[in-house]
Each structure stands twice: as structure tokens, then as C-alpha cells.
Amino acid sequence: MNGYAFGSESLSIDSRASEGGLALRRTGLLLRLELPSNPEILCVVRSAVMRLSEEMGFSAEGCRAVTRAVDEALANIIRHAYGGKAGQPIELVCRGLPSQTDGPGPTGLEIVLVDHGAPADRDKLRGRALDDVRPGGLGLHFIQDAMDIMQYTSEATGNQLRLVKYLPASDSKPQIAKGD
């Protein structure tokens, strides 16, 4: 969907007996979910994103921020793109971004959300003022605060929200998992 190639970029495990364990490459396609526009499924997605961000090596605070951003984005798709209508398709794709310096491990996590609902009004993609205290309307602030990149595109084939969070250099996970 939307020009993404699936399959060849999946999580790969390379057994290397000489290194005493498994080499884990956390780049390329990590997770792909096709879900209905139903708020009840958000708890499952939150759990999956939290666990994936933990495995990527984000700090506990970073994991919570990424999870909250994805949750808010999905809630916005359900509420605004689909007008609360249940059962509409949403695709979530998570990829590990490869190191730009040939270093070990990923440099970050890319999350792409695709829907086929009403496109967002770009004039309303700003969120309300933080000093306007009332319920709701802070989702975009949470997303922008949590993520390093937020890109929204809308075409005839659907809407796409691309979120990227980079790992701090000290947060990257080692590439070798020792066996028993």
C-alpha cells in the first residue's frame, strides 16, 4: 500500500555460532497491522507499540511518548477521518530506520498510519492553544511533542501520517543476544 514493499525488509535473525548468540537486525519492516476503526482495539495497539519501542531500545519515557502519539493519531483517524464510523480500515506499519553511519543497530522508529477516510483540514492541524483549558484538542500537541518528525499527506488513494522517533545514541540496543 502507498508504495511500501513488505516482506523483504522484515526482522531477521542470523544465527552466528562464532559470536555466541543471535544477531538481531532491527531495521526494515518490524510490524504491520490492519485494524478496524474501533476505539476498543486501541488497547491492543498500545500494547504492541509499547513492546516494540521497548525492544527498539527507547527509554521508558520514550516508549510512553511514542505509544501516546500513536494512540492519539489513531483516535484522530477514528474520530475525524471516519467520523466515528466503526469497521473502516486503518493500516499501521512500523519500520526500524537503518543507521546512517554504518554503525550497529537502528537509528529510530518510523510509524506510518494509512486510512481512507475524509482528509484532514490542514488549517486545523495546528491544535488549540495550550492556555485554552478544556477537555480534548491536545492530541496534536502530544504527537508533535513526542515525535521528531510528523508528516501528513492526503491523496486519492488515502491519507498517510508518518511519525518518526530517533533513538538517542546511548539508547540503542546491542545487536547480539546471548543464548543460554
Side-chain angles (χ1 to χ4, degrees):
M1 186 181 274
N2 290 345
Y4 283 96
F6 298 111
S8 64
E9 299 178 281
S10 62
L11 174 69
S12 63
I13 301 175
D14 180 16
S15 179
R16 297 184 185 177
S18 63
E19 295 181 21
L22 298 177
L24 301 179
R25 186 174 35 216
R26 290 177 173 86
T27 60
L29 179 64
L30 300 174
L31 176 69
R32 178 176 182 232
L33 298 174
E34 293 181 7
L35 13 133
S37 59
N38 182 340
E40 293 175 2
I41 199 75
L42 293 181
C43 64
V44 174
V45 177
R46 284 190 301 267
S47 295
V49 171
M50 178 66 82
R51 184 73 177 116
L52 178 62
S53 57
E54 288 170 352
E55 284 298 314
M56 290 289 298
F58 286 98
S59 66
E61 181 181 334
C63 293
R64 286 189 301 273
V66 169
T67 302
R68 183 173 45 248
V70 171
D71 186 62
E72 289 291 342
L74 286 168
N76 284 346
I77 290 170
I78 293 168
R79 174 180 275 170
H80 301 294
Y82 288 130
K85 185 176 179 186
Q88 301 305 302
I90 302 171
E91 182 178 25
L92 179 141
V93 177
C94 299
R95 297 179 187 281
L97 299 176
S99 173
Q100 301 296 316
T101 61
D102 293 329
T107 59
L109 178 62
E110 174 190 58
I111 301 164
V112 178
L113 300 168
V114 178
D115 71 79
H116 302 282
D121 182 349
R122 291 191 180 273
D123 293 333
K124 294 181 180 178
L125 285 178
R126 292 186 177 83
R128 64 175 167 81
L130 291 175
D131 59 357
D132 182 6
V133 180
R134 60 186 161 94
L138 295 176
L140 281 176
H141 292 292
F142 291 143
I143 296 169
Q144 291 170 337
D145 187 51
M147 306 305 289
D148 296 311
I149 296 174
M150 181 179 114
Q151 296 173 322
Y152 174 80
T153 57
S154 181
E155 300 174 1
T157 57
N159 307 309
Q160 178 177 289
L161 180 64
R162 178 176 179 257
L163 305 172
V164 175
K165 181 70 171 176
Y166 293 108
L167 279 163
S170 62
D171 279 359
S172 61
K173 276 216 171 211
Q175 292 302 297
I176 304 297
K178 300 289 183 187
D180 289 20

